[in-house]
Amino acid sequence: MVAMRNPNAMLVNLDQGLAPSYQDTLCQAKQEKTANARNRASSENATAERDVYEELLTQAEIQGNVNKVNLLAALEKVNKALERRDASALFEELSSPALGLRGLKRENCDWYLKQLIADKEQKAERGSNEILQKEELQSGVDVANEAAQRFHKMLKAVDRINAAIRKGDANETVTELMNPDAQLPTVYPFAAPLYQRELATLQQQSPEGYLSNPELGVAVEMLSSVALINKALDTGDIGEVWKYLSSSVTGLTNVENENSQRYIDELLKLKAQSRAEGNEFLSWNDIQAVVDNVNTTVHEEHERILALGLINEALDEGDAQKTLQVLMLPAAKLADVNAPTAQHYQDTLVRAKREKAQDTQDESAVLWLDEIQDGIWRSNKETEEAEKFSLGILAINEAVDSGEVAQTLSALRSPDVGLYGVTPECDEAYQAELQELKKSMLANGDNKSVWVKHWVKGGYNYYYNIESRKGSWEEPAGFVQNSTQLSREEIQSTISGVTAAYNREQLWNANETLIVKLQARCKGYLVRKEFSNRMNFLKKQVPAIIAIQSQWRGYKQKKAFQDRLQYLRHHETEAVKIQSLARMHRAKKQYKGRLQYFKDHIDEIVKIQAFIRANKARDDYKTLINADNPPMVVVRKFVHLLDQSDQDFQEELDLMNLREEVVTLIRANQQLENDLNLMDIKIGLLVKNKITLQEVVSHSKKLTKKNKEQLSDMMMMNKQKGGLKALSKEKREKLEAYQHLFYLLQTNPTYLAKLIFQMPQNKSTKFMDSVIFTLYNYASNQREEYLLLRLFKTALNEEIKSKVDQIQEIVTGNPTVIKMVVSFNRGARGQNALRQILAPVVKEIMDDKTLNIKTDPVDIYKAWVNQMESQTGEASKLPYDVTPEQALKHEEVNARLDASIKHMRTVTDKFLLAIVVSLEKIPYGMRYIAKVLKDSLHEKFPDATEDELLKIVGNLLYYRYMNPAIVAPDAFDIIDISAGGQLSTDQRRNLGSVAKMLQHAAANKMFEGDTAHLSKINEYLSQSYQKFRRFFQAACEVPEPEDRFNVDEYSDLVTVSKPVIYISIGEIINTHTLLLDHQDAIAPEHNDPIHELLEDLGEVPSIESLLGEGTGNPNDPSKEALAKTEVSLTLTNKFDVAGDENSEMDARTILLNTKRLIVDVIRFQPGETLTEILETPASNEQETDHQKAMQRRAIRDAKTPDKMKKAKTTLEETNLTLAEKKAKIQSNLKKLTEMGKVNPENRYQDLINDIAKDIRNQRRYRQRRKAELVKLQQTHQALSSKATFYEEQVDYYNQYIKTCLDNLASKGKISKKPGDMKGKKSKQVSQKYTAARLHEKGVLLEIDDLQSSQFKNVYFEISPTEEVGDFEVKAKFMGVQMETFMLHYQDLLQLQYEGVAVMKLFDRAKVNVNLLIFLLNKKFYGK
């Protein structure tokens, strides 16, 4: 030590007490160094000079050994301080410079002691008896410092919570409770008043007026459960209410499972009552009181049921006293049971029970509580009435004995006795008769008995003691009826006799007047009899009487006639004048009456005239429609229908604008849907850590910007850029040439049909989506739908003709045209049809939570085994891997399979019915293409049977069109799914099973081979196929598009506006390029019009040259945006434009111009035939009307937008007079006659017929236009709804990403690499097991290359990570850590769902998946 303390040695931290240890350690070190030096010398040159320090210790080595000794000594002292559990001594030892520990704080010495003792004990449990090393001490100090810091923060947070509670501010209280420093369970802000109220009560009840952290923890945990119960009660979620009621966290006592519904019902009532009283939340005490009250009520009900059983048993035994005893049981809770009435209770209840058995035809019927209580009350009432009755009879006997008439009458009239017919006037007679009756009874002898028996209501005998005046229902011992007491029957008999005698006497006195009337009637009879005899005599002499009367009347009439005739002859002139005045008055009156009648019915007359005119107009229109040669007069009446009104122009403008918006919305939704799909992929990769969060955030910002700006940008694109008008003259001419090209492509389907098959399939699909549907405006009106169907038909015929060699190739292959047709009809226009057909039944299946269809025996078997293991927690003895045949040997599997088949048939029937009755809902385009497909295949394969053709039609209509929508209804908008929502696995499997059944039925394919276990439903499939077959046949019965849409070669000429398409610059250039590359294939004839159009266009221009924008740099990012610039092309036919005035026009142009001139002429000049009109000069008035009409037309044409203008008439035609127009008509007619287009012999009736046809077509066009407006409005609304859904989806994704950012922020930082996204994990509870223990539980099956006897040396430690559902599994062998495995709970559930029973950990240990899930549920999720 002296040498070591020499300052020149420069040694530090020397301790005198450790001198021996220094000596031993340094000696040993020197010996080892000397030995090592000699070993090296022997192997090297022995004669070489050696350095002295090869065998001596250097200063650094000496200091190192000193430090080592000091460290060991300090560790020993720390260990001894731990054993003494002396916190102060421990701190002093830890402060030793030899240890060099960081972060020591004296105030945390107790925390150091507690933590290091725990670390030492934990180390001992792992089988190590060594003392704690320096690193372990430093780790313990750090952990203790953190724990102490958290504890102090917790104390401050608890102080703030108590202060907030005293302050009474609920929101502040909840804010403090939610502070993580308080280390309290989850707090729900919506229940702030509940926390404030209950915690304030607890604080007041506390002796110190202060709640500690444990008290707050227990209270908050319980109150949070109470808050969730209140919330579940508000929403009516019964499952959640019971979940929290039965949770141990809530702290409720005596909660019984069987009373769950009653608890919930009472809580709902109490909640409603509390809300009515102004209390928003139920307290814990309120809930506990409800539980206790329900338990008490249920207990009382059980006791009462037992008592009711005893009562019924006692009634059956017939013992009245025993019945009385059980009736008086407290559990029965029967009221007003009196012991003296026991016998009557017995009789009444026995009778009630007997009557109930007769009514219910059940000999074992028993009385219920209300029936027993009613019998008791009825018995008590009858007892009371019997006592009153007996007392009343006794009172009558006593009154009769007393001789007092008034007393007797009063007793007889007592309502208790119930005597009838008592009349006050007979009181003395009653007294006399009753006294006489009593005397006769006394004469027979008095037996001196004190008992009287009465027969009372209900047929019972009541025994009454006339001395004690007490009654009983039981017959007294030695009973003898008193012989002197009058009974009720005797009294009633006496009263009835006396009253009857009195009534007879009064009857005679009261009916004296009636007797007088009787006598009068007798006298009247005698008089009438005499009169009748006289009348009979006269009737016998009628002929004589009539003769006398007729002679006399004739004489008087003749005399009066002769006198009147003589008078008129003397006044003939006056008579004539009077007659004329009378006739005039009558005629005038009749005329005025008729005139007044017309005035009174003027409205009816107008209606009749309108009806007649309407009938005439209707007949004329029928003639116009149906007549082969409608007359000129009729055509002239309706020629005004060819005019375009302001409403026509407005509707056309609305139609054009709406069509533009629909097409733009379709394109915007498609782009947004593609971006959302990409977002799905990116989030999926994020979850799997394949890309960083920043990439997803970047795409989200791009997506959000598109979502908010894209639609408005696309809607305003043409308005901002002005379409063609914003381009230079040269560029506009270029685009006008494109207008001619696209008109030809649109109206002649042959070019596109051939072009589709000149490209690879992947490229043709993209071309179809981007150009073809755009060219036809997604069939937004009937004209474009007609043209698109022509393209589909032409392309389908071309594909079948050139590429289909066998009929089954349509089914087994992927025909391009079929794919185009299905894609189009499942888009915006056809989606609504699928939704109407399938949505109700799909929603019904999804809402049925009990439906679980599984038809694979192995899946059913594995699900059964998984269920048993998950429920029992024990490994199943059944094998995990079985074949379908082995699985079907189990009865449970067969039972479940039969149930699934039954459910599957029921659901399939619903889908089949919904499909076969929805024929009219299927888009016409789908049905027409099905018809074309069937006819084309029959033409190429004439030997094919009808069944083979219908199966292919079914493949199109069901498998390709409907089946995907059934399997994935969320992907085809069949059902509404909220943002972030999705179908469950069971729902998808159920829909998939039904779709498979329908697919087999549509193809008439039976279950056999691997699916032979389903062969029992093959008969059902055959029956279903017949329904499908009829459905497919009916689907093909549709008219041709020309008849359906009423389209012909003149359709474009009668419409107000020209066809317009909305297409991007990039699509124009792409189409131009493809046409140039394949022009020889699509148009082999050199004189084909398309060659001329392509020659006019020249080389394919660049985007920049066409728009006059951009830098020309191919890598310029703005180039993509320029390519998406949309323009509207007003399509025109280059080959239908007339030349100049001197050039010869073709027959069609002459014919059209002639008809237009004829319409102008016949509108103002009438005539029977066209020849007559042309030959008759027009009047000045007709010329004036014509000029005014032409001026109005010119003004209207000037206001018409360019896009809506038809082919312009020449200025000369506009300014022509009627005479000049007729001259031009005659000139044109001569030319047409020479060309053979008209026949002058029938006075040009063919032209009149064509004009009539134009009128009819114009009407049909207006009707179609209105229908198109309605359809487009519906489509626009549906597209807007879909856009809204996509916006919600974007918001959902943004919220998801925000949550990811928040989670990463809470972990400390956002990393740029997936590997960096790891934060500091908080200390959580872990579970440790030996491999032997897991093997006993059945969780561990085996470990490769390790005997089961060695399992005791293998430790597994399962620790939850910060990510919910992720566990870190560490494996140690003999205390040495071997490997770490990340276990994902969701992966386990997926394996369980897929039926995988065994998985490997560390690529060596095989574990049982089901039992591992059970273990995790039990240890970490409390399940």
Side-chain angles (χ1 to χ4, degrees), residues 206-273:
S206 176
E208 300 83 6
Y210 182 89
L211 295 176
S212 64
N213 179 265
E215 292 171 334
L216 284 172
V218 174
V220 167
E221 189 174 38
M222 295 173 64
L223 289 176
S224 294
S225 293
V226 171
L228 293 175
I229 290 174
N230 277 275
K231 182 178 180 181
L233 289 172
D234 288 334
T235 59
D237 191 340
I238 296 176
E240 288 295 307
V241 174
W242 175 242
K243 173 183 174 183
Y244 295 114
L245 275 179
S246 58
S247 174
S248 59
V249 174
T250 310
L252 297 174
T253 59
N254 300 325
V255 179
E256 303 291 342
N257 290 339
E258 58 270 16
N259 299 340
S260 59
Q261 189 59 45
R262 298 187 66 166
Y263 296 148
I264 295 170
D265 294 341
E266 291 300 322
L267 286 173
L268 289 172
K269 294 177 183 177
L270 183 60
K271 180 70 175 178
Q273 179 182 352

Side-chain angles (χ1 to χ4, degrees), residues 304 308 311 332-334 367-375:
R304 191 174 298 177
L308 290 177
I311 292 172
K333 287 191 176 182
L334 296 172
L367 295 178
W368 292 356
L369 179 64
D370 54 345
E371 294 170 334
I372 295 173
Q373 183 65 68
D374 182 64

Side-chain angles (χ1 to χ4, degrees), residues 71 157 324 357 379 677 701 759 1000:
L71 176 61
L324 177 64
S379 298
N677 291 337
K701 292 179 179 178
M759 296 182 290
H1000 277 66

Side-chain angles (χ1 to χ4, degrees), residues 78-100:
V78 169
N79 190 59
K80 291 178 181 179
L82 289 175
E83 292 176 353
R84 297 196 306 272
R85 298 184 182 273
D86 187 341
S88 300
L90 175 63
F91 179 78
E92 296 299 332
E93 300 302 336
L94 291 175
S95 302
S96 172
L99 291 176

